[in-house]
Amino acid sequence: MGLGLIALDGVVFLSCLGLSYVLYSPNIPRPHDYKTSPRAYVLHSITTHARLLPADSRHAFTYPVLSLILPLSALESARLSLLNGFLFSYGGTYGRILGLRSARYLFDDGGKVPSIRTKLIKALDDFGVGDAEEQLDDAWILTMPSYCGYEGLNPLTVYFCYRKDNRRLWIVVLEIHNTFGERHVHILEVGRNEEAPNANFDHQWSFPRAFHVSPFNDRLGTYTVSVRAPFSHSDSDVALPHIRIHLNNPTGALKFSASLRAKHVAPFRTLTVLAALATHPFILFLTLPRILRQAAVLHYRRHLDVYKRPEPKPVSWSVSPSHSPALAKGGGIGWQHPTILERAARHLANAFLARRAHALGVCIKLRPSDPSAHVQHFDPGTDGADGKFRELVISYLSPRFFTLLVLAGDGPTALRWGGSGGQSHTTGEVREFLVSDEASFREVFDIHESGGATWPARVLRLLPDAARRHEQGVGGGKNPHPLMPESWMARVGFAVLLGALVAMEWAEELLWRIAHVRWAVIDSMQRHPSEMVPVT
């Protein structure tokens, strides 16, 4: 009892101390200061999702959403901090109730660039918007903040960009995050490739779908995005923003609709923020649990099959000339971080490619699709004929490419599983890489050594789908694994890696079986190799 009273006294003392600080601190703006403080707003919105196709799997839901719409100039100059940064501040998540930081937005740079505006300008420049820094007056960000140090999933962040010359709406940037930690942007420019919107919206665009968001959709079809901006002019009165996204299947039928519509807007002030949190104390924790609940409903009650996650489509993997050009700019800007096993497999592959480049006299380039990763060069180290070398360019989507090389066991199988050497039948068999010359790729991975260790081929037969892979030519045991290191100690590490990868394949297989996951069959149109060409 005595300890309980002491603890209660401590809580009361700290609460009174904090309240006194809030009430009497000279640094906290008083109500009369609000007239001169920057404009910013708290949005009370609703989000509605409706799935219309297939007809027997129709499903819809609506949830309330609490978000902020803030000018980047005032946000990054700390003019929007509330209660000396304790209630809200920019630059971090801890030590405050609400917060925003640049690492969470746009390019995944680990927080190296502290300014969202700087990253936004870089995105505009990278996707072909010229002189973005000179033309951008200010941008308003519509997003959900972190809450008590917790950064929940932020499915959609919208940037409303205004020009310097006329201070009118110039560009709308949609930043989409999926549950796999990947990021994609669509850059929609006012007056370019626009369609006539209906009476409830100001602007509308249509463009091909390219990002994997829902596990119950493939990447086919077209998005139609309709927008009502919070301001038609940077100095105009605030309106209730409204964003609606329609997904039409390849035949043009409406398959899915999602919207974010503001119902009430309040000035971004201490009292309004506290009132919003008091009304919805747990709302910023609920985004991911709501997504998982609705996914379970769609899979187990509405009987929708699951599409395995394909890697984001990079900008550098362009659509072939036979296809119509994209009507909007954008592309992948955030990839999953490599796992420990993927980093180990990459180390093995790099050492192998360095040896083979020297042995064959070929220049090998590893070109990642992730814009934050670097192109790797493996040079022969000797002069070729007339000072020229054969060149092999391998463009890969993600670090999963390196574990694929380990599990494939030879070049032809790697091409069948993840390259352009075979046809996809299920969504798990997505294309992981493209090569500039298949014959050179096979030559690089064609290892013939008498007396070489063949035990890796026997280990690979233990994979969950070993029977199907053996029928395709895997596990013959005649040649050693091409990535087998030369030193004895390195071979021990290779054995550990190979065993861990096989164990992970089995763990994943058992997890899907226990969860009774049904996999969808992918349309060969989605990832046909003729649709993409590697940049050389």
Side-chain angles (χ1 to χ4, degrees):
M1 178 67 71
L3 292 176
L5 290 176
I6 293 174
L8 180 61
D9 289 341
V11 171
V12 172
F13 170 75
L14 292 175
S15 300
C16 293
L17 185 63
L19 182 61
S20 299
Y21 174 77
V22 169
L23 292 176
Y24 300 109
S25 173
N27 297 319
I28 297 179
R30 303 298 163 206
H32 64 269
D33 296 326
Y34 291 158
K35 295 180 180 180
T36 59
S37 60
R39 290 196 305 166
Y41 301 94
V42 179
L43 294 183
H44 297 262
S45 308
I46 59 171
T47 182
T48 300
H49 289 210
R51 176 173 292 274
L52 306 176
L53 294 176
D56 56 356
S57 298
R58 288 191 174 187
H59 181 64
F61 60 86
T62 298
Y63 286 124
V65 176
L66 181 64
S67 54
L68 307 177
I69 182 163
L70 314 170
L72 290 182
S73 58
L75 173 67
E76 296 181 356
S77 61
R79 289 185 290 152
L80 296 179
S81 296
L82 301 178
L83 295 186
N84 282 355
F86 175 71
L87 179 57
F88 174 84
S89 61
Y90 176 75
T93 58
Y94 298 107
R96 66 209 80 189
I97 297 176
L98 301 179
L100 290 177
R101 63 188 183 110
S102 65
R104 194 185 186 197
Y105 296 96
L106 298 169
F107 298 101
D108 187 5
D109 61 352
K112 295 179 181 178
V113 179
S115 168
I116 298 177
R117 177 188 172 93
T118 300
K119 297 171 74 173
L120 177 61
I121 290 174
K122 181 181 185 304
L124 295 177
D125 287 337
D126 289 351
F127 289 107
V129 179
D131 300 324
E133 186 169 7
E134 290 74 17
Q135 297 189 63
L136 180 63
D137 177 38
D138 202 356
W140 288 69
I141 181 173
L142 192 161
T143 188
M144 291 188 292
S146 66
Y147 187 37
C148 297
Y150 170 74
E151 286 186 311
L153 177 65
N154 219 337
L156 176 65
T157 295
V158 186
Y159 304 87
F160 299 95
C161 304
Y162 294 83
R163 291 177 64 105
K164 284 182 179 178
D165 52 4
N166 57 18
R167 302 178 70 110
R168 303 193 70 84
L169 183 65
W170 172 35
I171 290 175
V172 177
V173 178
L174 306 181
E175 180 183 353
I176 304 171
H177 292 204
N178 62 19
T179 54
F180 306 103
E182 297 162 336
R183 309 177 186 184
H184 190 96
V185 294
H186 296 288
I187 297 176
L188 311 174
E189 192 167 355
V190 173
R192 289 181 179 269
N193 301 311
E194 271 200 75
E195 303 171 351
N198 62 31
N200 296 321
F201 298 94
D202 304 322
H203 307 278
Q204 181 169 298
W205 299 266
S206 293
F207 48 88
R209 185 170 189 257
F211 187 49
H212 183 72
V213 180
S214 169
F216 306 106
N217 289 327
D218 55 23
R219 292 198 296 196
L220 300 175
T222 302
Y223 279 136
T224 297
V225 176
S226 305
V227 174
R228 183 170 67 214
F231 316 99
S232 59
H233 187 280
S234 58
D235 294 326
S236 62
D237 294 334
V238 64
L240 295 175
H242 188 184
I243 296 94
R244 186 189 67 188
I245 301 175
H246 281 174
L247 172 61
N248 299 292
N249 66 16
T251 65
L254 180 61
K255 181 178 182 179
F256 176 80
S257 175
S259 67
L260 178 66
R261 180 164 60 94
K263 301 287 289 183
H264 173 67
V265 59
F268 185 70
R269 305 288 184 257
T270 298
L271 293 180
T272 56
V273 171
L274 290 175
L277 295 178
T279 305
H280 303 286
F282 305 109
I283 193 170
L284 293 173
F285 291 131
L286 297 178
T287 302
L288 184 58
R290 287 169 172 172
I291 291 174
L292 296 177
R293 179 182 181 277
Q294 296 301 327
V297 170
L298 289 172
H299 189 57
Y300 296 109
R301 295 185 184 178
R302 298 293 184 264
H303 308 292
L304 285 175
D305 293 339
V306 174
Y307 289 84
K308 280 190 176 179
R309 178 187 65 87
E311 296 295 335
K313 289 184 177 180
V315 180
S316 58
W317 287 32
S318 60
V319 179
S320 66
S322 61
H323 291 72
S324 59
L327 299 180
K329 301 171 182 177
I333 58 170
W335 271 250
Q336 286 187 329
H337 296 286
T339 65
I340 294 177
L341 297 180
E342 288 170 342
R343 289 197 294 268
R346 180 172 58 191
H347 178 76
L348 278 174
N350 289 347
F352 166 77
L353 292 175
R355 295 195 306 269
R356 296 298 285 170
H358 187 272
L360 299 177
V362 58
C363 180
I364 302 174
K365 291 183 181 180
L366 274 180
R367 189 183 299 275
S369 61
D370 186 346
S372 66
H374 300 290
V375 177
Q376 292 179 279
H377 299 263
F378 303 95
D379 297 321
T382 57
D383 294 332
D386 301 326
K388 297 181 180 179
F389 299 102
R390 289 184 300 151
E391 185 176 77
L392 172 63
V393 180
I394 305 174
S395 302
Y396 65 94
L397 281 175
S398 78
R400 191 163 59 180
F401 161 71
F402 299 105
T403 57
L404 182 148
L405 292 179
V406 176
L407 292 174
D410 58 54
T413 304
L415 284 172
R416 280 194 295 269
W417 288 2
S420 57
Q423 296 294 325
S424 288
H425 299 288
T426 68
T427 53
E429 298 173 310
V430 296
R431 303 275 159 26
E432 294 290 340
F433 66 97
L434 298 173
V435 297
S436 58
D437 184 357
E438 286 193 10
S440 296
F441 182 86
R442 293 172 187 268
E443 181 184 4
V444 167
F445 284 86
D446 187 14
I447 304 295
H448 294 283
E449 294 181 3
S450 59
T454 58
W455 60 264
R458 295 191 293 273
V459 174
L460 291 176
R461 293 195 190 104
L462 300 176
L463 288 167
D465 49 359
R468 175 178 61 82
R469 293 181 177 179
H470 181 71
E471 291 173 358
Q472 293 179 342
V474 178
K478 296 180 180 179
N479 299 315
H481 196 291
L483 269 59
M484 177 75 75
E486 295 179 339
S487 69
W488 180 83
M489 287 297 295
R491 290 192 177 193
V492 173
F494 174 78
V496 173
L497 173 63
L498 187 59
L501 289 174
V502 172
M504 288 294 295
E505 290 286 317
W506 266 109
E508 183 178 349
E509 178 76 11
L510 292 175
L511 177 62
W512 301 143
R513 290 181 184 179
I514 293 172
H516 300 287
V517 174
R518 301 181 310 275
W519 299 111
V521 175
I522 193 170
D523 192 323
S524 60
M525 292 173 57
Q526 182 181 358
R527 297 295 301 270
H528 196 278
S530 64
E531 296 180 357
M532 299 181 291
V533 293
V535 175
T536 58

